[in-house]
Amino acid sequence: MAANINSASNVPLPGTPDLERQPLLSNPDVGNPPIGSHRRSHIPSTLGMGRRRASDAEEHERRRDKIRKCWRVGMFAVLFAMVGFLFMWLFEQFFDHAVGSPYAHLKGSCDHVAPISPVEFEERQTNLSRLLVDLKAGAYIAEPGINMQYFTNIKWSQSERPFLLVVQAKKDKTDTVLTKTTIVVPAFEASRARQKLLPGTSYSIKTWEEGASAYKVVREIIDTPWAGTDPVDEEEEVDVEIRLKPKKEIESIFIDPDMRQLVATGLANALNTSARKVEIAHRNIGLLRMQKSAHEIEILRCVSQTTVNVIRAVKDQIHVGTHESEVQTMMTKAFQESGLSYEAGGSLILFGKDAAQPHGSGNNTKLEKGMMVLIDSGARLHGYLSDITRTFWVSRGPSKEMNDELDKVWETVKNAQIAALEAVRPGAACSSIDKAARESISEKGYGAKFTHRLGHGLGMEGHEEPYLNIENTDTTLKPGMVFTNEPGIYVEGSYGIRLEDVVLVTETGYEILSGNLAASPNEP
């Protein structure tokens, strides 16, 4: 029976599940368990629990290892990104941040040119003193403005409170010209005024209190004898009885021609005496600014040539369909690349008939074929200005007749520039330079269309002496003078063409500080 039972044990009884055929028996190396062993298989053994715990620990360790690896990769990525950003910043700061910019070649154009040194400012005051002695003037007085800046580098805003520069001059017993420079300032502004003084300068500072008179302080300065020794900084107002120095002849006290009337009147009331006369400074003092030093010429040469290069670079970016306002933006970007100081929107950008008004503001005109482009622009370097104009083609129009007319007028203006240059020489009257250009234009039948003077002086101001107009017969050219040469022809409602360059008067003739003249209507 037992044998029969065992032999039949592989045959399932009706209704009995075939437990022996479950996956539990899938391992061929393990024999079939006895009947009923499937009930005991759900009871965990100690060995099974140990293996499972070991497996869980391994899995936990594997997860920890993955987290550590992810953390390392993440930190490396962050570090790599930071290094990348740092490299990009360094490249932008110390290499060429303008890579790809059409104006990259302009960068640092005048970095090699230094500003005016304190020594040169002292020399300017010495030159002023020599002139005062020659003109028998005891002092020169100026308030904030270009002339004060020229002599001292002090920039100060004008207000109802007088802030004055007093430069005194005299000869000592050896005929050496001595200079004493004093700044008269409101007492509460004395500290700020001191910060404006150039290092190494020996200016005195005299103050006046609110409610007191600045002009009385100036009178005390003028009336007090001085020996030419180093001045002493005195802030307190001195209220003493003034005794006039004995004079053998009337002494002049020069006031700056640009001085406001209220200040000039206050000084005249305080200083005029029987031995002294307050008057507008002699025009020869203006020559000190008109005749530029070698350093000033170097600055003007670089700022002028860079402005020409800016216009040429912008010209290459203009195309049919460009608006005048877009060219303004181009000019700003180009000057920023160059490093010159430039006020956004500071150029005249005139297309076609807009240029018929020499100082027109434009109408944001869109450039069309057949319109010429006029750009009149300037920037500043170390306080000195450029002033350049170019008129050129971007695309000729369909009318050959009109194209030829504009080419002819352009050449007429260029020839007028050349005629003016040929007339430049020391001793020539300013009027004669204007006349030479005007006659050249008149010969071509456009004399009535040249509606303004030929040019003006250029330096710390955009328009300053000397002025080159047909009536200025009194002013003659001298070496060191710098002026613009800008003839133009303007036809109302149609077009305007002007070319402008910067010219230096030399000992033998002239130098074009702005470099080469425009070559053609296509090559400005």
Side-chain angles (χ1 to χ4, degrees), residues 142-144 148 154 156-157 161-165 183-186 193 208:
E143 62 171 337
M148 179 183 286
I154 293 175
W156 198 274
S157 298
R161 297 181 176 95
F163 181 104
L164 299 168
L165 165 70
I183 307 297
V184 178
V185 58
W208 57 278

Side-chain angles (χ1 to χ4, degrees), residues 172-438:
D172 64 10
K173 294 179 180 179
T174 63
D175 278 345
T176 300
V177 175
L178 303 177
T179 304
K180 181 180 179 183
T181 302
T182 307
I183 307 297
V184 178
V185 58
F188 73 95
E189 295 275 35
S191 178
R192 185 163 73 96
R194 256 187 224 97
Q195 295 173 6
K196 300 284 186 179
L197 304 184
L198 288 167
T201 52
S202 57
Y203 308 157
S204 291
I205 292 182
K206 290 280 191 177
T207 64
W208 57 278
E209 298 290 346
E210 293 278 16
S213 171
Y215 309 120
K216 182 179 178 181
V217 174
V218 174
R219 189 184 70 197
E220 292 167 355
I221 293 169
I222 299 297
D223 286 344
T224 301
W226 57 286
T229 56
D230 290 338
V232 179
D233 184 3
E234 300 178 36
E235 290 189 22
E236 69 279 357
E237 180 183 355
V238 181
D239 188 10
V240 296
E241 187 69 24
I242 303 302
R243 290 179 296 175
L244 297 178
K245 294 176 288 184
K247 296 290 181 182
K248 295 182 179 179
E249 58 185 60
I250 295 178
E251 179 184 59
S252 294
I253 301 296
F254 288 156
I255 58 174
D256 189 84
D258 295 333
M259 183 175 286
R260 292 174 296 171
Q261 184 175 1
L262 68 96
V263 178
T265 300
L267 288 170
N269 291 338
L271 296 176
N272 271 327
T273 67
S274 58
R276 183 188 300 122
K277 180 182 179 182
V278 176
E279 56 185 309
I280 300 296
H282 194 280
R283 69 184 313 273
N284 283 353
I285 289 179
L287 283 173
L288 296 176
R289 269 185 57 200
M290 277 192 272
Q291 292 182 270
K292 271 58 177 181
S293 68
H295 196 163
E296 289 177 292
I297 292 168
E298 181 186 12
I299 294 172
L300 286 165
R301 182 184 292 113
C302 194
V303 71
S304 297
Q305 292 182 6
T306 300
T307 300
V308 171
N309 292 334
V310 164
I311 294 175
R312 288 172 176 166
V314 167
K315 186 259 185 188
D316 292 339
Q317 306 306 310
I318 303 173
H319 54 80
V320 172
T322 302
H323 288 79
E324 290 170 341
S325 61
E326 293 176 290
V327 179
Q328 286 281 14
T329 301
M330 294 177 192
M331 294 294 292
T332 299
K333 290 180 179 178
F335 275 121
Q336 286 174 344
E337 292 288 355
S338 75
L340 298 182
S341 177
Y342 175 76
E343 183 177 348
S347 300
L348 292 178
I349 310 295
L350 305 170
F351 295 170
K353 65 181 181 181
D354 290 351
Q357 298 181 15
H359 286 171
S361 58
N363 298 290
N364 200 25
T365 299
K366 182 171 71 173
L367 185 64
E368 299 175 3
K369 290 183 177 181
M371 289 182 175
M372 289 195 109
V373 175
L374 185 152
I375 298 180
D376 185 342
S377 188
R380 192 178 290 273
L381 174 66
H382 304 319
Y384 290 80
L385 286 160
S386 59
D387 194 358
I388 303 293
T389 303
R390 291 291 186 267
T391 308
F392 51 85
W393 284 115
V394 170
S395 178
R396 296 174 184 271
S399 171
K400 182 178 184 303
E401 181 180 2
M402 191 62 189
N403 294 340
D404 291 345
E405 168 73 6
L406 291 172
D407 283 343
K408 176 187 175 182
V409 172
W410 193 97
E411 289 294 339
T412 300
V413 174
K414 169 72 176 292
N415 290 334
Q417 269 196 313
I418 295 172
L421 289 172
E422 291 174 347
V424 174
R425 65 183 184 279
C430 288
S431 58
S432 68
I433 316 304
D434 179 288
K435 182 181 178 181
R438 203 165 298 279

Side-chain angles (χ1 to χ4, degrees), residues 63-90:
R63 290 178 179 176
R64 286 171 59 88
D65 189 53
K66 287 182 179 179
I67 292 173
R68 284 194 291 267
K69 287 181 179 178
C70 289
W71 176 258
R72 286 195 293 270
V73 170
M75 289 299 295
F76 179 78
V78 171
L79 181 61
F80 183 80
M82 292 176 63
V83 171
F85 282 121
L86 178 61
F87 178 78
M88 290 173 61
W89 181 82
L90 290 173

Side-chain angles (χ1 to χ4, degrees), residues 476-487:
T476 58
L477 298 183
K478 294 178 173 55
M481 287 184 173
V482 175
F483 62 88
T484 62
N485 178 3
E486 50 177 314

